Amino acid sequence: MPASNMSQLVSLCKRRGFIFQSADIYGGLKGAYDYGPLGAELKKNLKDAWWRAIVYERDDVEGLDGTIIGHQKMFQYSGHTETFNDPLVDCKACKNRMRADQMKDPSKCDSCGSTDITEPRDFNLMFKTHIGPVQNDASIGYLRPETAQHIFVNFKNVIDATNRKAPFGIAQQGRAFRNEIVARNFIFRVREFEQMELEFFVKPGDDETWHEYWLASRLQWWDDQGVPRDKIHVLDVPPEDLAHYSKRTYDLEFEFPHGVEELEGIANRTDYDLGNHSKNQDQLNITAKVHKNTDSNTKMALFDDQEKKWYVPYCIEPSAGVDRGVLAILTEAYTEENLEGGKSRIVLKLKKHLSPVKVAVIPLKKNHEGIVGKAMEIKNDLIKLGIGRILFENTGNVGKAYRRHDEVGTPLCVTVDFDSIEKEGAPVTVRDRDTMEQLSLFQADLNDYMLKYFG
Ligand code: GAP
């Protein structure tokens, strides 16, 4: 059974060091969370899995790592300065602030039921700042609300550096910032988060086929991360709800503990973005309704060798939230099991490539020089395999160590006992998280076993 309510996950995340409220010693920063020792590993493993699937395992995608702070013209021509707004309503009675489009009843406050509420007014979600010491209109910059725009404005740089032709993509992971009116549901809707975005450029006309391709590919990838296909609802976003740049969007909605909501969006952004950022727009047959660009110094187009003309490629964009990915994975992995003798355990059934700790090495006695020395030797050997984090767990209580590692999703525990220092071949016990079965292995066979298991 996956987690049925958010408080189970919030409690586990705090207790075991996955996720903490940011600045909680000062009462907490709303809509901001810090990833602790295990959360940092889990998030890194998820991002690495995405990068491997999207960049390394393909021959048609390049990576990018753009700045977090963005040029005002970039967000002017992308449309964010003008249209990246949510309608905001304030309750005059209890001071509750709500998004008008998410209110249960648009005439009443969600919190106290008062009808004394303001008219909806547009609120821009971007964090604005000034770049450099002088604060005037020319120095305005923004923390990026999506990583995508850096990909679009670097399109020509990447083409020139790599000689790519369509179809090809540019992938990026990184922070994004949105001053959400209501940040809620743990790490689901926050003001600072991470995205994993691919902008995949194709010839106009090939866009619909590629859109279907990426939908299938992304569903399979989530399944490989432990978010099963039958828990994801594919919403073909109705035309009236589409973002201004989209011809068609599929939202992958997951059954989060608080409800079914978006995990990833896969949009057909047409030639809207490259068209917006291009010079000489009127010579390029751009199909989208773009902003007239009088500032760009670059033509954002590819040359069609057969038709002997320039064209602006269409873009298919699978855009996933890392934090929502972590939440979905934790939801699915969380399991409460009843054991024999009326006992129970919490076990996090993470896919092994995502587990923060791959192996815990546990000496049976914490003050026994021989056993502790042998355990440390084994830990140091396993580290060299490069399979991920190996933890030396010298608490002196094997049973408790097993429970703790079940709760944080460690796939294997290796216990070193008297046999390991007294018997020939130095046998150790390898315990499996999910089956709780124990296996005796000679020290000399351990490396091969681990390489095979995690390979
Ligand atoms: N470049 C397209 C784009 O940014 P989006 O649907 O606004 O599209 C993409 O965002 C993904 O980013 C979402 O599917 C979600 O996973 C994540 N995301 C968006 N806003 C978020 C927030 N406030 N907190 C956490 N994740 C968020």
Side-chain angles (χ1 to χ4, degrees), residues 80 84 145-149 152 178 180 187-197 199 245 251-252 262-265 267 269 317 319-325:
H80 283 87
F84 199 57
E146 60 173 9
T147 70
Q149 292 307 319
F152 298 126
R178 296 183 190 179
E180 298 282 357
I187 52 171
F188 177 81
R189 188 177 304 285
V190 280
R191 298 196 167 101
E192 174 174 347
F193 54 100
E194 285 197 71
Q195 290 184 315
M196 307 182 280
E197 298 201 292
E199 309 303 326
Y245 51 71
D251 279 350
L252 308 192
E262 182 184 331
L263 169 65
E264 170 163 354
R269 295 182 75 128
E317 179 198 60
S319 170
V322 178
D323 309 78
R324 288 188 191 178

Side-chain angles (χ1 to χ4, degrees), residues 42-87:
L42 172 58
K43 193 159 127 166
K44 179 179 175 302
N45 292 341
L46 181 65
K47 285 162 61 183
D48 286 351
W50 185 89
W51 196 264
R52 203 165 42 246
I54 298 289
V55 183
Y56 294 169
E57 288 174 7
R58 304 182 61 89
D59 295 317
D60 53 5
V61 176
E62 302 284 353
L64 185 83
D65 186 7
T67 60
I68 282 172
I69 201 153
H71 197 297
Q72 56 173 270
K73 295 259 187 250
M74 179 162 81
F75 294 117
Q76 176 193 326
Y77 287 110
S78 67
H80 283 87
T81 325
E82 194 189 319
T83 55
F84 199 57
N85 300 318
D86 274 345

